[in-house]
Amino acid sequence: QVRLVESGGGLVQPGGSLRLSCAASGSFFSITVVGWYRQAPGKQRELVAAISRSGSTDYADSVKGRFTISRDNVKNTMYLHMNSLKPEDTAVYYCNADVLNAEGVRLNYWGQGTQVTVSS
């Protein structure tokens, strides 16, 4: 079983910055692809950014140039650096990870989410 715990959310003014963290713990062989998703009230959950184990990244058009995803494979921790935040970035942000267990089986896990509110 793998546990993903997000932290770093909160209230920030437009134009501000936040850094979200996602710490993975439990029994696994490796974490492959990690993604940050968000879900605003009344909207579907959407992919914000993803990063492979080798460091290849992908971003939603709405956050390109403002958000940066990164990971520390030693600490099994993933990050989302968010700059120039806008009110439309307000959402619950979720960490998602594809994990290989010791048997080579690929499993997918979600964190519990952290609220980000951008408001003056």
Side-chain angles (χ1 to χ4, degrees):
Q1 186 68 18
V2 174
R3 186 181 182 205
L4 302 177
V5 178
E6 300 102 332
S7 61
L11 174 64
V12 64
Q13 291 186 342
S17 300
L18 282 175
R19 187 186 78 163
L20 305 183
S21 299
C22 173
S25 62
S27 178
F28 54 89
F29 177 71
S30 69
I31 299 172
T32 55
V33 178
V34 177
W36 284 97
Y37 290 73
R38 67 186 181 188
Q39 187 167 19
K43 294 188 177 181
Q44 289 188 332
R45 191 172 297 188
E46 62 174 356
L47 178 64
V48 175
I51 184 168
S52 70
R53 186 167 180 82
S54 64
S56 297
T57 58
D58 190 27
Y59 296 93
D61 287 343
S62 59
V63 306
K64 282 181 181 176
R66 300 189 298 121
F67 290 11
T68 302
I69 189 171
S70 62
R71 61 189 291 171
D72 184 327
N73 291 332
V74 175
K75 295 181 178 179
N76 291 319
T77 302
M78 292 67 71
Y79 305 97
L80 185 67
H81 302 257
M82 304 185 294
N83 298 319
S84 302
L85 283 161
K86 304 175 181 180
E88 50 263 43
D89 295 317
T90 296
V92 178
Y93 284 71
Y94 297 90
C95 176
N96 178 273
D98 278 345
V99 175
L100 286 177
N101 65 13
E103 290 74 34
V105 176
R106 182 176 174 177
L107 301 171
N108 187 266
Y109 294 92
W110 288 93
Q112 83 287 353
T114 185
Q115 176 70 47
V116 172
T117 302
V118 185
S119 176
S120 55

